[in-house]
Amino acid sequence: MSITNAQKKQYRLIGHALNPVVMIAGNGLTETVLTEVDRALEDHELIKVRISITDREVRTALIAEISKIMKCEVVQTIGKVALFYRAALEPNPKLSNLLR
């Protein structure tokens, strides 16, 4: 599942106005955090995640791990915020950030 550069540009434009839906702090990737990321991706397709960890390498590793586990694409990372995309199985026009 790879997205084109044009799609990334469009998703970055949409993602600019979004607020982080999931926040990850000192406990890292717990089961509940992964469950919430999965639910948010299924509902919204395009989400922001804030990772409040100061070490840059750990943050980068967490972003890569989320992408691998959730089978989603990293659209953009700026500082402590990452933008993820995964197409929903049944998109809901009222919840999807792409269809609104």
Side-chain angles (χ1 to χ4, degrees), residues 12-60:
R12 284 194 309 260
L13 185 69
I14 294 168
H16 181 73
L18 299 178
N19 292 322
V21 177
V22 178
M23 297 186 193
I24 301 172
N27 290 338
L29 283 181
T30 60
E31 255 331 286
T32 54
V33 169
L34 290 173
T35 303
E36 187 60 25
V37 169
D38 187 42
R39 184 210 52 82
L41 281 168
E42 190 58 38
D43 287 347
H44 303 295
E45 296 183 287
L46 186 69
I47 63 167
K48 271 187 182 177
V49 175
R50 176 178 295 281
I51 303 170
S52 298
I53 296 174
T54 54
D55 189 11
R56 184 177 293 166
E57 288 82 26
V58 173
R59 217 173 31 237
T60 305

Side-chain angles (χ1 to χ4, degrees), residues 52-72:
S52 298
I53 296 174
T54 54
D55 189 11
R56 184 177 293 166
E57 288 82 26
V58 173
R59 217 173 31 237
T60 305
L62 279 175
I63 291 169
E65 191 172 349
I66 290 170
S67 175
K68 180 181 165 192
I69 293 171
M70 294 293 125
K71 295 178 178 70
C72 60

